[in-house]
Amino acid sequence: MKLEELRAKYDQLQKKYGAKELDSIYNGGCNQNPNICFVFMNPTGRNIASSKEWKGIKSPWIGTKNIWDLFYQLELMDEEIYKKIKEYKPTDWTEEFAKQVYEEVEKHQYFITNLGKCTQVDARVIPNSVYEEYLDLLEQEIEMINPKVVVLFGNQVSSIVLKQKISVSQCRKQLFTKNINGKEYKFYSAYYPIGNGRFNIDKSIEDIKYIMQENFKGKE
């Protein structure tokens, strides 16, 4: 199975749990043995790719600014394209520019996805029961791309994926393992760096730098 084959399932769940006027947002970046798979919560209508008129890639964070601060400070994005992102208004993003941004993500060997693909009009709270319906699909994504490590953002996502009560503040830089279809994968939990969690972005950067150093920087 390929990643694209999961989209029909995501679209079905969008009709069930998402805003009817918006499309699912899928994933993007390096989809073959990336260093890191970053897992966020769920997309909102701020992502301009959720518009039904958008014909380009439907990947996370298109048309937004703040999340790219994280990747730039992790040295996972070149300065030239980062500056464009910071200068651009959402309406300045074209389908071609979105493609360029995700080519940059691929070049730096990481993959961006959400646990829930159900796009909402705003950043409303999604109940655990909805995210749990996406868990099997996320595990299939992880199995397909085969990342070296998976970084889960926030208490809710971490708890659902790891199937145990997680408080990020209590397990910073802690390695978890999870068996998916016979293979052990490495997981870490990090502070959610966007929205209400923006004030924790420095802690997220510190912890992810540690994770990168511990798992693959200088160890190739």
Side-chain angles (χ1 to χ4, degrees):
M1 181 179 284
K2 297 181 179 179
L3 285 173
E4 292 76 12
E5 295 176 43
L6 297 177
R7 293 179 181 175
K9 296 179 181 179
Y10 295 143
D11 292 343
Q12 289 174 2
L13 290 171
Q14 174 70 20
K15 291 176 182 176
K16 189 174 181 181
Y17 297 117
K20 303 297 186 288
E21 68 272 25
L22 299 174
D23 281 348
S24 292
I25 294 296
Y26 307 123
N27 44 52
C30 178
N31 59 20
Q32 294 184 336
N33 308 309
N35 284 332
I36 310 179
C37 170
F38 291 105
V39 184
F40 293 90
M41 298 174 73
N42 69 287
T44 74
R46 289 188 61 209
N47 186 325
I48 61 171
S50 64
S51 166
K52 292 187 178 295
E53 284 70 49
W54 180 271
K55 303 305 179 187
I57 59 171
K58 290 187 178 285
S59 297
W61 305 110
I62 291 175
T64 70
K65 294 180 186 290
N66 290 343
I67 191 59
W68 305 104
D69 296 344
L70 176 85
F71 297 127
Y72 177 67
Q73 291 183 58
L74 290 170
E75 299 181 4
L76 294 176
M77 173 158 284
D78 292 343
E79 186 172 12
E80 182 180 356
I81 199 158
Y82 172 70
K83 283 184 174 179
K84 287 183 180 179
I85 289 172
K86 297 303 284 186
E87 290 168 1
Y88 279 11
K89 299 175 183 176
T91 52
D92 292 332
W93 283 63
T94 62
E95 293 166 3
E96 179 58 33
F97 182 64
K99 181 181 176 185
Q100 289 174 17
V101 170
Y102 268 88
E103 286 172 350
E104 183 79 1
V105 173
E106 182 175 6
K107 182 180 82 172
H108 285 84
Q109 296 183 284
Y110 60 106
F111 183 83
I112 306 174
T113 190
N114 289 288
L115 172 54
K117 275 56 173 190
C118 47
T119 310
Q120 307 293 335
V121 294
D122 52 26
R124 65 189 60 188
V125 175
I126 304 295
N128 287 355
S129 58
V130 173
Y131 283 127
E132 286 165 356
E133 288 207 40
Y134 283 93
L135 181 56
D136 179 63
L137 295 170
L138 177 68
E139 290 179 351
Q140 289 182 55
E141 276 186 62
I142 291 169
E143 187 178 1
M144 288 177 200
I145 67 171
N146 191 37
K148 291 180 181 176
V149 298
V150 181
V151 173
L152 306 168
F153 286 109
N155 296 338
Q156 188 178 22
V157 168
S158 299
S159 298
I160 291 167
V161 174
L162 296 173
K163 295 187 176 180
Q164 59 182 288
K165 182 70 173 178
I166 298 291
S167 173
V168 174
S169 64
Q170 301 301 311
C171 62
R172 294 179 65 185
K173 304 174 185 174
Q174 180 179 335
L175 171 64
F176 296 87
T177 59
K178 179 171 181 173
N179 187 295
I180 299 176
N181 202 20
K183 179 173 179 177
E184 292 288 325
Y185 292 89
K186 295 181 177 181
F187 287 81
Y188 293 86
S189 185
Y191 282 100
Y192 206 85
I194 294 299
N196 292 335
R198 177 74 178 174
F199 63 90
N200 283 321
I201 191 170
D202 289 344
K203 294 176 183 176
S204 296
I205 291 166
E206 176 189 332
D207 291 356
I208 295 167
K209 282 184 175 178
Y210 167 85
I211 292 163
M212 292 166 68
Q213 189 67 42
E214 190 70 13
N215 285 279
F216 45 83
K217 274 198 170 182
K219 295 191 176 185
E220 297 292 354

